[in-house]
PDB file of all heavy atoms in Angstrom:
ATOM      1  N   LEU A   1      -0.319   2.340   1.563  1.00  0.00           N
ATOM      2  CA  LEU A   1       0.952   1.790   1.425  1.00  0.00           C
ATOM      3  C   LEU A   1       1.820   1.921   2.721  1.00  0.00           C
ATOM      4  O   LEU A   1       1.918   3.062   3.241  1.00  0.00           O
ATOM      5  CB  LEU A   1       1.758   2.361   0.207  1.00  0.00           C
ATOM      6  CG  LEU A   1       3.190   1.942   0.091  1.00  0.00           C
ATOM      7  CD1 LEU A   1       3.284   0.450  -0.277  1.00  0.00           C
ATOM      8  CD2 LEU A   1       3.809   2.805  -1.042  1.00  0.00           C
ATOM      9  N   GLU A   2       2.224   0.869   3.355  1.00  0.00           N
ATOM     10  CA  GLU A   2       2.943   0.834   4.584  1.00  0.00           C
ATOM     11  C   GLU A   2       4.459   0.659   4.129  1.00  0.00           C
ATOM     12  O   GLU A   2       4.872  -0.332   3.522  1.00  0.00           O
ATOM     13  CB  GLU A   2       2.547  -0.280   5.468  1.00  0.00           C
ATOM     14  CG  GLU A   2       1.184  -0.163   6.064  1.00  0.00           C
ATOM     15  CD  GLU A   2       0.799  -1.173   7.066  1.00  0.00           C
ATOM     16  OE1 GLU A   2       1.566  -2.163   7.148  1.00  0.00           O
ATOM     17  OE2 GLU A   2      -0.209  -1.140   7.672  1.00  0.00           O
ATOM     18  N   ARG A   3       5.239   1.659   4.495  1.00  0.00           N
ATOM     19  CA  ARG A   3       6.696   1.593   4.107  1.00  0.00           C
ATOM     20  C   ARG A   3       7.449   2.082   5.351  1.00  0.00           C
ATOM     21  O   ARG A   3       7.343   3.290   5.654  1.00  0.00           O
ATOM     22  CB  ARG A   3       6.929   2.458   2.892  1.00  0.00           C
ATOM     23  CG  ARG A   3       8.240   2.585   2.468  1.00  0.00           C
ATOM     24  CD  ARG A   3       8.539   3.323   1.268  1.00  0.00           C
ATOM     25  NE  ARG A   3       8.043   2.607   0.129  1.00  0.00           N
ATOM     26  CZ  ARG A   3       7.844   3.098  -1.190  1.00  0.00           C
ATOM     27  NH1 ARG A   3       8.239   4.333  -1.455  1.00  0.00           N
ATOM     28  NH2 ARG A   3       7.475   2.418  -2.128  1.00  0.00           N
ATOM     29  N   GLY A   4       8.437   1.233   5.832  1.00  0.00           N
ATOM     30  CA  GLY A   4       9.315   1.678   6.926  1.00  0.00           C
ATOM     31  C   GLY A   4       8.473   2.327   8.171  1.00  0.00           C
ATOM     32  O   GLY A   4       9.000   3.292   8.686  1.00  0.00           O
ATOM     33  N   GLY A   5       7.434   1.818   8.449  1.00  0.00           N
ATOM     34  CA  GLY A   5       6.690   2.262   9.663  1.00  0.00           C
ATOM     35  C   GLY A   5       5.792   3.404   9.322  1.00  0.00           C
ATOM     36  O   GLY A   5       5.003   3.871  10.225  1.00  0.00           O
ATOM     37  N   ASP A   6       5.784   3.994   8.099  1.00  0.00           N
ATOM     38  CA  ASP A   6       4.956   5.134   7.628  1.00  0.00           C
ATOM     39  C   ASP A   6       3.823   4.574   6.913  1.00  0.00           C
ATOM     40  O   ASP A   6       3.877   3.492   6.160  1.00  0.00           O
ATOM     41  CB  ASP A   6       5.724   6.125   6.817  1.00  0.00           C
ATOM     42  CG  ASP A   6       6.867   6.811   7.557  1.00  0.00           C
ATOM     43  OD1 ASP A   6       6.646   7.084   8.839  1.00  0.00           O
ATOM     44  OD2 ASP A   6       7.862   7.134   7.028  1.00  0.00           O
ATOM     45  N   LEU A   7       2.631   5.267   7.048  1.00  0.00           N
ATOM     46  CA  LEU A   7       1.423   4.941   6.244  1.00  0.00           C
ATOM     47  C   LEU A   7       1.136   5.984   5.217  1.00  0.00           C
ATOM     48  O   LEU A   7       1.010   7.175   5.601  1.00  0.00           O
ATOM     49  CB  LEU A   7       0.224   4.850   7.192  1.00  0.00           C
ATOM     50  CG  LEU A   7      -1.109   4.414   6.678  1.00  0.00           C
ATOM     51  CD1 LEU A   7      -1.049   2.907   6.332  1.00  0.00           C
ATOM     52  CD2 LEU A   7      -2.361   4.699   7.539  1.00  0.00           C
ATOM     53  N   LEU A   8       1.227   5.558   3.940  1.00  0.00           N
ATOM     54  CA  LEU A   8       1.129   6.522   2.844  1.00  0.00           C
ATOM     55  C   LEU A   8      -0.224   6.300   2.183  1.00  0.00           C
ATOM     56  O   LEU A   8      -0.494   5.189   1.842  1.00  0.00           O
ATOM     57  CB  LEU A   8       2.300   6.444   1.900  1.00  0.00           C
ATOM     58  CG  LEU A   8       3.664   6.434   2.444  1.00  0.00           C
ATOM     59  CD1 LEU A   8       4.703   6.147   1.388  1.00  0.00           C
ATOM     60  CD2 LEU A   8       3.980   7.773   3.149  1.00  0.00           C
ATOM     61  N   THR A   9      -0.983   7.347   1.915  1.00  0.00           N
ATOM     62  CA  THR A   9      -2.252   7.202   1.177  1.00  0.00           C
ATOM     63  C   THR A   9      -2.306   7.830  -0.112  1.00  0.00           C
ATOM     64  O   THR A   9      -3.046   7.384  -1.014  1.00  0.00           O
ATOM     65  CB  THR A   9      -3.415   7.756   2.080  1.00  0.00           C
ATOM     66  OG1 THR A   9      -3.088   9.188   2.290  1.00  0.00           O
ATOM     67  CG2 THR A   9      -3.597   6.936   3.333  1.00  0.00           C
ATOM     68  N   ASP A  10      -1.474   8.863  -0.408  1.00  0.00           N
ATOM     69  CA  ASP A  10      -1.425   9.424  -1.702  1.00  0.00           C
ATOM     70  C   ASP A  10      -0.324   8.627  -2.502  1.00  0.00           C
ATOM     71  O   ASP A  10       0.879   9.062  -2.565  1.00  0.00           O
ATOM     72  CB  ASP A  10      -0.988  10.994  -1.511  1.00  0.00           C
ATOM     73  CG  ASP A  10      -1.104  11.652  -2.848  1.00  0.00           C
ATOM     74  OD1 ASP A  10      -1.682  11.069  -3.812  1.00  0.00           O
ATOM     75  OD2 ASP A  10      -0.652  12.837  -2.894  1.00  0.00           O
ATOM     76  N   ILE A  11      -0.788   7.625  -3.136  1.00  0.00           N
ATOM     77  CA  ILE A  11       0.200   6.576  -3.595  1.00  0.00           C
ATOM     78  C   ILE A  11       0.140   6.384  -5.114  1.00  0.00           C
ATOM     79  O   ILE A  11       0.982   5.539  -5.641  1.00  0.00           O
ATOM     80  CB  ILE A  11      -0.004   5.174  -2.878  1.00  0.00           C
ATOM     81  CG1 ILE A  11      -1.476   4.737  -3.082  1.00  0.00           C
ATOM     82  CG2 ILE A  11       0.350   5.358  -1.403  1.00  0.00           C
ATOM     83  CD1 ILE A  11      -1.779   3.386  -2.453  1.00  0.00           C
ATOM     84  N   ASP A  12      -0.721   7.023  -5.833  1.00  0.00           N
ATOM     85  CA  ASP A  12      -0.762   6.778  -7.293  1.00  0.00           C
ATOM     86  C   ASP A  12       0.577   7.181  -7.868  1.00  0.00           C
ATOM     87  O   ASP A  12       1.207   8.297  -7.594  1.00  0.00           O
ATOM     88  CB  ASP A  12      -1.870   7.600  -7.853  1.00  0.00           C
ATOM     89  CG  ASP A  12      -3.180   6.861  -8.074  1.00  0.00           C
ATOM     90  OD1 ASP A  12      -3.032   5.598  -8.417  1.00  0.00           O
ATOM     91  OD2 ASP A  12      -4.319   7.438  -7.899  1.00  0.00           O
ATOM     92  N   GLY A  13       1.078   6.376  -8.728  1.00  0.00           N
ATOM     93  CA  GLY A  13       2.370   6.634  -9.493  1.00  0.00           C
ATOM     94  C   GLY A  13       3.606   6.179  -8.694  1.00  0.00           C
ATOM     95  O   GLY A  13       4.728   6.235  -9.275  1.00  0.00           O
ATOM     96  N   ARG A  14       3.440   5.765  -7.426  1.00  0.00           N
ATOM     97  CA  ARG A  14       4.673   5.410  -6.608  1.00  0.00           C
ATOM     98  C   ARG A  14       5.068   3.932  -7.095  1.00  0.00           C
ATOM     99  O   ARG A  14       4.382   3.016  -7.292  1.00  0.00           O
ATOM    100  CB  ARG A  14       4.278   5.248  -5.143  1.00  0.00           C
ATOM    101  CG  ARG A  14       4.127   6.649  -4.445  1.00  0.00           C
ATOM    102  CD  ARG A  14       3.940   6.498  -2.964  1.00  0.00           C
ATOM    103  NE  ARG A  14       3.729   7.836  -2.313  1.00  0.00           N
ATOM    104  CZ  ARG A  14       4.698   8.513  -1.830  1.00  0.00           C
ATOM    105  NH1 ARG A  14       5.999   8.029  -1.858  1.00  0.00           N
ATOM    106  NH2 ARG A  14       4.452   9.650  -1.224  1.00  0.00           N
ATOM    107  N   ALA A  15       6.435   3.817  -7.058  1.00  0.00           N
ATOM    108  CA  ALA A  15       7.021   2.503  -7.294  1.00  0.00           C
ATOM    109  C   ALA A  15       7.036   1.740  -5.985  1.00  0.00           C
ATOM    110  O   ALA A  15       7.034   2.312  -4.965  1.00  0.00           O
ATOM    111  CB  ALA A  15       8.435   2.605  -7.811  1.00  0.00           C
ATOM    112  N   LEU A  16       6.902   0.408  -6.046  1.00  0.00           N
ATOM    113  CA  LEU A  16       6.796  -0.404  -4.905  1.00  0.00           C
ATOM    114  C   LEU A  16       8.148  -1.122  -4.581  1.00  0.00           C
ATOM    115  O   LEU A  16       8.882  -1.467  -5.503  1.00  0.00           O
ATOM    116  CB  LEU A  16       5.710  -1.573  -5.137  1.00  0.00           C
ATOM    117  CG  LEU A  16       4.271  -1.052  -5.304  1.00  0.00           C
ATOM    118  CD1 LEU A  16       3.356  -2.315  -5.450  1.00  0.00           C
ATOM    119  CD2 LEU A  16       3.795  -0.210  -4.095  1.00  0.00           C
ATOM    120  N   GLU A  17       8.513  -1.146  -3.353  1.00  0.00           N
ATOM    121  CA  GLU A  17       9.729  -1.849  -2.919  1.00  0.00           C
ATOM    122  C   GLU A  17       9.359  -3.192  -2.270  1.00  0.00           C
ATOM    123  O   GLU A  17       8.264  -3.547  -1.807  1.00  0.00           O
ATOM    124  CB  GLU A  17      10.376  -0.901  -1.942  1.00  0.00           C
ATOM    125  CG  GLU A  17      10.740   0.391  -2.443  1.00  0.00           C
ATOM    126  CD  GLU A  17      11.375   1.254  -1.377  1.00  0.00           C
ATOM    127  OE1 GLU A  17      11.491   0.916  -0.239  1.00  0.00           O
ATOM    128  OE2 GLU A  17      11.765   2.467  -1.700  1.00  0.00           O
ATOM    129  N   GLY A  18      10.316  -4.081  -2.145  1.00  0.00           N
ATOM    130  CA  GLY A  18      10.162  -5.430  -1.767  1.00  0.00           C
ATOM    131  C   GLY A  18       9.618  -5.495  -0.317  1.00  0.00           C
ATOM    132  O   GLY A  18       9.055  -6.530   0.121  1.00  0.00           O
ATOM    133  N   SER A  19       9.968  -4.563   0.528  1.00  0.00           N
ATOM    134  CA  SER A  19       9.545  -4.580   1.949  1.00  0.00           C
ATOM    135  C   SER A  19       8.218  -3.854   2.118  1.00  0.00           C
ATOM    136  O   SER A  19       7.707  -3.775   3.316  1.00  0.00           O
ATOM    137  CB  SER A  19      10.607  -3.861   2.782  1.00  0.00           C
ATOM    138  OG  SER A  19      10.851  -2.527   2.253  1.00  0.00           O
ATOM    139  N   ASP A  20       7.558  -3.360   1.111  1.00  0.00           N
ATOM    140  CA  ASP A  20       6.281  -2.625   1.232  1.00  0.00           C
ATOM    141  C   ASP A  20       5.210  -3.599   1.476  1.00  0.00           C
ATOM    142  O   ASP A  20       5.186  -4.781   1.302  1.00  0.00           O
ATOM    143  CB  ASP A  20       5.947  -1.847  -0.047  1.00  0.00           C
ATOM    144  CG  ASP A  20       6.835  -0.664  -0.199  1.00  0.00           C
ATOM    145  OD1 ASP A  20       7.502  -0.272   0.722  1.00  0.00           O
ATOM    146  OD2 ASP A  20       6.980  -0.219  -1.390  1.00  0.00           O
ATOM    147  N   ARG A  21       4.112  -3.054   2.177  1.00  0.00           N
ATOM    148  CA  ARG A  21       2.913  -3.788   2.324  1.00  0.00           C
ATOM    149  C   ARG A  21       1.715  -2.866   1.880  1.00  0.00           C
ATOM    150  O   ARG A  21       1.735  -1.676   2.211  1.00  0.00           O
ATOM    151  CB  ARG A  21       2.666  -4.245   3.874  1.00  0.00           C
ATOM    152  CG  ARG A  21       3.587  -5.314   4.201  1.00  0.00           C
ATOM    153  CD  ARG A  21       3.521  -5.682   5.642  1.00  0.00           C
ATOM    154  NE  ARG A  21       3.938  -4.528   6.575  1.00  0.00           N
ATOM    155  CZ  ARG A  21       4.052  -4.699   7.854  1.00  0.00           C
ATOM    156  NH1 ARG A  21       3.834  -5.823   8.443  1.00  0.00           N
ATOM    157  NH2 ARG A  21       4.443  -3.710   8.604  1.00  0.00           N
ATOM    158  N   LEU A  22       0.785  -3.490   1.246  1.00  0.00           N
ATOM    159  CA  LEU A  22      -0.467  -2.781   0.715  1.00  0.00           C
ATOM    160  C   LEU A  22      -1.696  -3.084   1.614  1.00  0.00           C
ATOM    161  O   LEU A  22      -1.856  -4.154   2.083  1.00  0.00           O
ATOM    162  CB  LEU A  22      -0.694  -3.153  -0.703  1.00  0.00           C
ATOM    163  CG  LEU A  22       0.292  -2.862  -1.747  1.00  0.00           C
ATOM    164  CD1 LEU A  22      -0.257  -3.316  -3.118  1.00  0.00           C
ATOM    165  CD2 LEU A  22       0.570  -1.273  -1.743  1.00  0.00           C
ATOM    166  N   VAL A  23      -2.369  -2.063   1.901  1.00  0.00           N
ATOM    167  CA  VAL A  23      -3.685  -2.208   2.564  1.00  0.00           C
ATOM    168  C   VAL A  23      -4.753  -2.147   1.526  1.00  0.00           C
ATOM    169  O   VAL A  23      -4.898  -1.201   0.831  1.00  0.00           O
ATOM    170  CB  VAL A  23      -3.964  -1.160   3.613  1.00  0.00           C
ATOM    171  CG1 VAL A  23      -5.388  -1.312   4.270  1.00  0.00           C
ATOM    172  CG2 VAL A  23      -2.946  -1.186   4.764  1.00  0.00           C
ATOM    173  N   VAL A  24      -5.446  -3.238   1.280  1.00  0.00           N
ATOM    174  CA  VAL A  24      -6.339  -3.415   0.143  1.00  0.00           C
ATOM    175  C   VAL A  24      -7.716  -3.712   0.754  1.00  0.00           C
ATOM    176  O   VAL A  24      -7.929  -4.464   1.754  1.00  0.00           O
ATOM    177  CB  VAL A  24      -5.983  -4.506  -0.802  1.00  0.00           C
ATOM    178  CG1 VAL A  24      -6.868  -4.610  -1.969  1.00  0.00           C
ATOM    179  CG2 VAL A  24      -4.546  -4.288  -1.273  1.00  0.00           C
ATOM    180  N   ALA A  25      -8.796  -3.082   0.048  1.00  0.00           N
ATOM    181  CA  ALA A  25     -10.101  -3.305   0.458  1.00  0.00           C
ATOM    182  C   ALA A  25     -11.006  -3.846  -0.661  1.00  0.00           C
ATOM    183  O   ALA A  25     -10.745  -3.481  -1.849  1.00  0.00           O
ATOM    184  CB  ALA A  25     -10.812  -1.912   0.928  1.00  0.00           C
ATOM    185  N   GLY A  26     -11.842  -4.855  -0.293  1.00  0.00           N
ATOM    186  CA  GLY A  26     -12.712  -5.428  -1.329  1.00  0.00           C
ATOM    187  C   GLY A  26     -13.589  -6.520  -0.721  1.00  0.00           C
ATOM    188  O   GLY A  26     -13.305  -6.884   0.440  1.00  0.00           O
ATOM    189  N   THR A  27     -14.494  -7.021  -1.471  1.00  0.00           N
ATOM    190  CA  THR A  27     -15.300  -8.236  -0.976  1.00  0.00           C
ATOM    191  C   THR A  27     -14.383  -9.429  -1.131  1.00  0.00           C
ATOM    192  O   THR A  27     -13.340  -9.382  -1.681  1.00  0.00           O
ATOM    193  CB  THR A  27     -16.524  -8.345  -1.804  1.00  0.00           C
ATOM    194  OG1 THR A  27     -16.165  -8.699  -3.223  1.00  0.00           O
ATOM    195  CG2 THR A  27     -17.395  -7.142  -1.896  1.00  0.00           C
ATOM    196  N   GLU A  28     -14.822 -10.468  -0.465  1.00  0.00           N
ATOM    197  CA  GLU A  28     -14.077 -11.697  -0.563  1.00  0.00           C
ATOM    198  C   GLU A  28     -13.736 -12.179  -1.920  1.00  0.00           C
ATOM    199  O   GLU A  28     -12.584 -12.517  -2.248  1.00  0.00           O
ATOM    200  CB  GLU A  28     -14.799 -12.865   0.199  1.00  0.00           C
ATOM    201  CG  GLU A  28     -14.002 -14.050   0.522  1.00  0.00           C
ATOM    202  CD  GLU A  28     -14.725 -15.043   1.431  1.00  0.00           C
ATOM    203  OE1 GLU A  28     -16.030 -15.021   1.401  1.00  0.00           O
ATOM    204  OE2 GLU A  28     -14.065 -15.669   2.248  1.00  0.00           O
ATOM    205  N   SER A  29     -14.617 -12.122  -2.859  1.00  0.00           N
ATOM    206  CA  SER A  29     -14.379 -12.527  -4.193  1.00  0.00           C
ATOM    207  C   SER A  29     -13.455 -11.631  -4.942  1.00  0.00           C
ATOM    208  O   SER A  29     -12.569 -11.980  -5.703  1.00  0.00           O
ATOM    209  CB  SER A  29     -15.686 -12.716  -5.020  1.00  0.00           C
ATOM    210  OG  SER A  29     -16.366 -11.393  -5.076  1.00  0.00           O
ATOM    211  N   GLU A  30     -13.548 -10.270  -4.665  1.00  0.00           N
ATOM    212  CA  GLU A  30     -12.597  -9.323  -5.221  1.00  0.00           C
ATOM    213  C   GLU A  30     -11.244  -9.483  -4.749  1.00  0.00           C
ATOM    214  O   GLU A  30     -10.222  -9.345  -5.525  1.00  0.00           O
ATOM    215  CB  GLU A  30     -13.209  -7.834  -4.961  1.00  0.00           C
ATOM    216  CG  GLU A  30     -14.427  -7.527  -5.652  1.00  0.00           C
ATOM    217  CD  GLU A  30     -14.945  -6.212  -5.080  1.00  0.00           C
ATOM    218  OE1 GLU A  30     -14.571  -5.647  -4.037  1.00  0.00           O
ATOM    219  OE2 GLU A  30     -15.983  -5.687  -5.696  1.00  0.00           O
TER     220      GLU A  30
END
């Protein structure tokens, strides 16, 4: 989770804010 210039990886249970960006991994279909 990218938030305010910080990269967070221990993110389970965190609420998301409108300015957040997620780094997601998967195949094209996923």
Side-chain angles (χ1 to χ4, degrees):
L1 169 65
E2 293 181 352
R3 173 177 293 172
D6 295 327
L7 183 71
L8 308 175
T9 55
D10 189 7
I11 55 178
D12 265 323
R14 287 182 181 270
L16 297 181
E17 301 174 359
S19 59
D20 289 341
R21 287 178 296 192
L22 296 179
V23 178
V24 182
T27 64
E28 193 171 28
S29 60
E30 291 169 348

